[in-house]
Amino acid sequence: MNTARLRDRVAASDPGLLRLAAGLRTVAAIALTLAVLGLLGADVTHLVAGAIAAMVATFAIREKQRAPQAVTLALGLPVALASLSLGALLSSRVVAGDLFFVALIFCAVYGRRFGDRGTALGLIGFQVYFVSLFVGATVSGLPELHGVLGVAFLCSAAARFLLVPETPAGLLERLREAFRARLAQLVSAQLQLLDAGPEEIDEALKDVREGTAKLHETALMIQGRLEEGTSDEAAARLVQRRIADAEIAAERLGLLLLSARSAERADTLTLHLPGAPAPRAGRPMAGRDEAMARVRRDLEALRLLVLRPAAARSGTALSQVRNRLLGYREEENLPPAPPSVQDVFRGVGEAARAVLGLRIALDGPQDESDDSPATARSREELDAEDAVIDAGDEDAGTQEELTGLRRPTTRAAVQVAVGSSLAIVGGEFLSSQRWYWAVLTCWIVFMNTASTGEILVKGYRRLVGTVLGVLAGIVLAGAVGQHTWTAFALVLVLVFAMFYTAPLSYTLMSFFVTAALGLLYTLLHTYSLSVLVLRVEETALGAACGVIAAAFVLPVRTDRRTNDLLVTVLERLEEVTEAAVDQLSGGSPVELLDQARDLDQALADLRAATQPLTHPITPLRARRDTARYVVALLETCAYHARSLAATAELLPTHPSIAADPRLRLAGRRIGDNIAAIAARVADERSTDRVETGPSIASLLDTEVPGIPRFGRVTDRVLRHVQRLDETVVGLARPLHVPVAGPKR
């Protein structure tokens, strides 16, 4: 049991074990290279060159399929040999060497436009040229260094394909396990929220927010791997559907628990805005305490279903628990309680159904011998939904092709070339031997950044990590002395830590890199306190050159980039909302979940781009708070849009959901308001306004006597549409979009 719990925690903390695999693969490649070179009697300089080359050959490959990885690795070797040779040939020709280095940097960054292979080859070419400078490669020593590179690339291939292999199907399976583990963690956090006292509720709500965000992150990762990891397109779409169902059900359950704790319905924004006040417990209601105790028991049962769904076999207690939870969906055995608490029971039932659907999609048919009538009906609904999944080809969207300096890769290549030129000049003034550290920092701060603000934040983090790493390097170098293999063993530990922490903290990654370099300097007999101090100076210079180039050479201001991404998010939101509402109104079906995931990806891009605005060091506090508030509002909109999309896809099979043409009017108003906000963000001169008006429920009134007001539309759909309408109007205010009253 303890082993299973530890496995679940590891799976949840590192979805797909991506970080663990990257660290182990790189360490294995380096260790194997050192072992082979050691057996061949290589000296320390060649050992250092081989270790760095093996690391570069391993982490540069980004393709997901094994065959393209092998091709890129094979192409990388001649690129590395050519780069190393030119580095040695030009080492004595300062001007020619500098000019070639700048040209190489330009080509390496420009190569990103050719996809993962172009990125990998550019990275290998740049880093191996850096290796030639680091070890002082000479023309006379090229044959030995060429052999070192060959060994490093062969060992990298062995580590990738034999020692730490990774297949798309295996990775997808681990991501599924991570989703299950994170879903269980979210249910546990919701249970703590239910039990939290007045002084603990804020911390409990923070845990629920983090759990919801992590679950959503894992769902996006699975979405990105489905195509490569599942050969059957229909099976991939089924998994996508079930992952979305489980994510929405879990998020909705959290909102219902918030409502049950308070006297009023909880605002969806509470789950998405850090610092939003948590709802306090409402006035005592008859039967509330008994019902909440039962809620607690059922949440524990739901968590067990998530963690051990395969154990729910014939005659087990878990199958009986599953039957009870699924019965809540059909109003079976609902205890006497306030409406908000009864909604929690219904939410638990919906979550149990989502868990059942997820298990069937991942593991195939389950034992049905102990099914209750409610469970049997849930299975029938799931089977009916599976049957209508369309596996046809999707129309490929087209995007406007940017040319010239408007293309991001071209602009970035020009910027980094200018910044590197400045770094070379400035670095030569600091040190004629180690000026390349400034160039390396300038290169790195441009990687995976797209605006001046992002480069500034990344440069700041690298500088902080470098300063701390220098201090650690001093301690480690003093402890290791001249013990070669002890130093290499510590380097392997630091390299693993670097790759394991890289996606979590760029500062930590920089710390481990600098500490490892301190050990390599020791091995090359070039270690001194002045060298490590110079490393800090060169890093600061390189970061400054990168920021200067980004700010003055074809600049992309953070405001402009975030506005462009914000318009993209709004366009995706409008597409999903209009398509979902149209389908709920009786329109023709479309692939809504794919559109919803496009919205999620656009929102993730916007969230990353706003980091410079929301970083703790930003002096513009009001601007930071506005950015956080806008992103939280958009996350709330995305949640309701996802929920509408998932509900709309149930129309052909769900007996309690049917199309209602009256929803079109409500959807039209929401779509027009989103378009008005997008127009205003794109062009401040736009005169479009956001229109308010009567509630969504009132728009669905019928003029025909005797027809029920909401006869064919579920209350859940109404709530999502109403909250989406209110949130879109709320989004207009921080973006300074005029809000007009209803048209007369």
Side-chain angles (χ1 to χ4, degrees):
M1 187 68 172
N2 292 333
T3 303
R5 187 175 301 172
L6 177 62
R7 185 175 63 248
D8 289 338
R9 288 182 178 178
V10 172
S13 64
D14 182 13
L17 302 182
L18 290 173
R19 291 184 284 121
L20 179 64
L24 290 177
R25 189 178 301 113
T26 306
V27 167
I30 296 174
L32 188 58
T33 301
L34 293 175
V36 173
L37 292 177
L39 291 174
L40 294 175
D43 59 23
V44 172
T45 300
H46 290 153
L47 290 175
V48 171
I52 299 177
M55 181 179 69
V56 172
T58 304
F59 78 75
I61 310 300
R62 300 185 179 186
E63 286 98 341
K64 299 182 179 68
Q65 299 285 356
R66 292 165 66 88
Q69 290 175 1
V71 172
T72 302
L73 194 59
L75 293 175
L77 180 56
V79 170
L81 293 174
S83 182
L84 180 69
S85 301
L86 288 169
L89 289 170
L90 298 174
S91 60
S92 60
R93 298 171 175 82
V94 177
V95 176
D98 291 348
L99 291 176
F100 173 76
F101 200 12
V102 172
L104 176 63
I105 290 170
F106 176 90
C107 294
V109 176
Y110 186 78
R112 290 189 294 177
R113 70 169 296 214
F114 300 106
D116 289 338
R117 180 164 296 159
T119 301
L121 295 179
L123 188 58
I124 289 172
F126 171 82
Q127 292 286 3
V128 172
Y129 192 90
F130 168 80
V131 170
S132 73
L133 298 174
F134 185 69
V135 301
T138 60
V139 175
S140 60
L142 278 179
E144 292 84 357
L145 285 173
H146 283 172
V148 168
L149 284 185
V151 170
F153 272 74
L154 287 175
C155 292
S156 175
R160 176 175 296 277
F161 300 118
L162 298 177
L163 299 180
V164 192
E166 179 179 280
T167 62
L171 177 57
L172 181 58
E173 180 61 31
R174 295 198 299 272
L175 285 172
R176 292 168 177 172
E177 287 301 306
F179 183 86
R180 178 185 58 78
R182 284 191 165 181
L183 180 58
Q185 285 186 346
L186 178 55
V187 175
S188 297
Q190 292 170 345
L191 188 60
Q192 293 174 2
L193 176 65
L194 184 68
D195 293 334
E199 297 179 354
E200 303 167 335
I201 188 171
D202 289 325
E203 187 65 27
L205 181 58
K206 178 183 177 182
D207 291 341
V208 171
R209 287 194 190 106
E210 291 179 353
T212 303
K214 288 180 178 179
L215 187 68
H216 184 60
E217 173 195 18
T218 311
L220 284 177
M221 293 174 71
I222 292 174
Q223 172 68 16
R225 300 280 179 168
L226 274 175
E227 183 177 348
E228 293 84 7
T230 307
S231 57
D232 185 349
E233 186 175 353
R237 294 167 73 82
L238 175 60
V239 172
Q240 178 187 6
R241 166 89 61 90
R242 296 301 169 228
I243 290 290
D245 288 345
E247 180 189 356
I248 292 169
E251 191 167 2
R252 180 170 178 266
L253 181 57
L255 291 171
L256 294 173
L257 285 169
L258 286 173
S259 297
R261 281 195 59 103
S262 62
E264 300 177 356
R265 182 171 297 280
D267 192 326
T268 319
L269 189 62
T270 307
L271 271 187
H272 299 132
L273 181 59
R280 306 300 171 180
R283 293 172 294 181
M285 300 182 189
R288 182 189 184 99
D289 291 342
E290 295 80 359
M292 294 301 277
R294 188 166 170 178
V295 167
R296 187 175 298 104
R297 181 195 64 178
D298 287 338
L299 284 176
E300 285 283 5
L302 177 63
R303 188 174 68 87
L304 288 176
L305 285 179
V306 174
L307 284 172
R308 299 289 174 264
R313 303 184 187 277
S314 175
T316 64
L318 276 180
S319 63
Q320 299 173 11
V321 168
R322 179 197 62 206
N323 291 339
R324 185 181 77 247
L325 300 187
L326 288 172
Y328 293 149
R329 297 182 62 241
E330 301 186 3
E331 311 293 325
E332 293 181 4
N333 302 319
L334 284 179
S340 61
V341 179
Q342 287 193 333
D343 280 344
V344 173
F345 286 104
R346 298 184 184 97
V348 170
E350 292 292 345
R353 178 191 185 271
V355 171
L356 175 63
L358 189 62
R359 177 52 55 181
I360 293 173
L362 298 182
D363 294 341
Q366 309 290 301
D367 185 4
E368 304 177 15
S369 58
D370 289 332
D371 282 359
S372 66
T375 301
R377 284 189 288 271
S378 292
R379 289 190 191 276
E380 290 172 1
E381 292 174 9
L382 292 169
D383 291 341
E385 291 170 19
D386 298 349
V388 299
I389 289 181
D390 178 18
D393 293 335
E394 300 177 36
D395 294 332
T398 58
Q399 296 181 348
E400 180 184 0
E401 178 69 19
L402 299 179
T403 59
L405 295 178
R406 294 179 59 199
R407 183 182 288 117
T409 49
T410 306
R411 181 178 59 246
V414 172
Q415 288 177 325
V416 74
V418 173
S420 298
S421 300
L422 296 175
I424 289 174
V425 174
E428 289 279 5
F429 281 106
L430 290 176
S431 171
S432 59
Q433 286 80 34
R434 296 184 177 85
W435 52 268
Y436 46 79
W437 287 118
V439 182
L440 180 66
T441 299
C442 182
W443 155 280
I444 289 177
V445 297
F446 270 96
M447 297 299 291
N448 300 319
T449 54
S451 70
T452 305
E454 291 178 67
I455 291 171
L456 178 62
V457 170
K458 193 172 184 180
Y460 159 79
R461 289 172 173 167
R462 183 167 184 83
L463 182 59
V464 171
T466 299
V467 171
L468 297 176
V470 163
L471 298 177
I474 293 173
V475 175
L476 292 175
V480 170
Q482 296 301 317
H483 299 284
T484 301
W485 293 108
T486 302
F488 272 124
L490 283 176
V491 167
L492 291 178
V493 173
L494 293 171
V495 167
F496 175 82
M498 175 183 71
F499 280 92
Y500 194 78
T501 59
L504 303 178
S505 171
Y506 187 73
T507 301
L508 274 178
M509 187 198 76
S510 301
F511 166 79
F512 290 120
V513 168
T514 305
L517 286 172
L519 292 173
L520 293 180
Y521 279 136
T522 302
L523 292 172
L524 293 173
H525 306 290
T526 56
Y527 168 79
S528 68
L529 181 59
S530 61
V531 168
L532 294 179
V533 171
L534 178 64
R535 164 92 169 126
V536 175
E537 295 173 344
E538 296 279 4
T539 299
L541 174 64
C545 291
V547 172
I548 291 172
F552 296 102
V553 180
L554 305 175
V556 177
R557 308 297 182 192
T558 303
D559 285 347
R560 173 181 151 194
R561 174 163 168 76
T562 53
N563 282 348
D564 290 343
L565 292 174
L566 176 55
V567 171
T568 301
V569 172
L570 292 169
E571 290 173 349
R572 300 289 181 270
L573 177 63
E574 183 182 6
E575 291 172 1
V576 175
T577 303
E578 289 188 345
V581 172
D582 181 70
Q583 192 161 322
L584 287 166
S585 304
S588 57
V590 296
E591 186 47 59
L592 291 170
L593 289 183
D594 284 348
Q595 292 186 3
R597 287 308 177 203
D598 290 342
L599 167 62
D600 290 335
Q601 187 57 58
L603 185 53
D605 293 341
L606 175 64
R607 193 183 300 111
T610 58
Q611 285 185 359
L613 302 178
T614 59
H615 195 275
I617 66 172
T618 180
L620 305 175
R621 304 300 182 185
R623 189 179 177 192
R624 179 189 63 186
D625 294 341
T626 299
R628 287 178 175 173
Y629 185 63
V630 168
V631 171
L633 285 171
L634 289 169
E635 288 176 340
T636 296
C637 290
Y639 161 68
H640 291 294
R642 284 197 306 271
S643 300
L644 287 173
T647 305
E649 291 219 337
L650 298 177
L651 276 176
T653 58
H654 204 290
S656 62
I657 302 176
D660 192 321
R662 294 175 294 179
L663 277 172
R664 275 202 178 88
L665 182 60
R668 189 177 304 122
R669 185 172 81 185
I670 296 174
D672 290 344
N673 284 342
I674 296 173
I677 296 174
R680 183 79 175 189
V681 172
D683 185 359
E684 293 183 354
R685 296 169 296 180
S686 172
T687 58
D688 290 359
R689 296 187 173 196
V690 168
E691 301 287 344
T692 60
S695 68
I696 298 299
S698 66
L699 292 176
L700 303 183
D701 281 336
T702 178
E703 299 177 358
V704 181
I707 295 182
R709 189 179 185 189
F710 309 125
R712 294 180 295 163
V713 181
T714 65
D715 181 57
R716 186 190 310 176
V717 171
L718 283 175
R719 285 202 298 266
H720 287 308
V721 175
Q722 180 71 46
R723 290 297 295 125
L724 182 58
D725 180 59
E726 294 168 355
T727 308
V728 168
V729 174
L731 186 63
R733 294 184 174 89
L735 296 176
H736 308 295
V737 182
V739 178
K743 295 180 180 179
R744 299 183 180 276

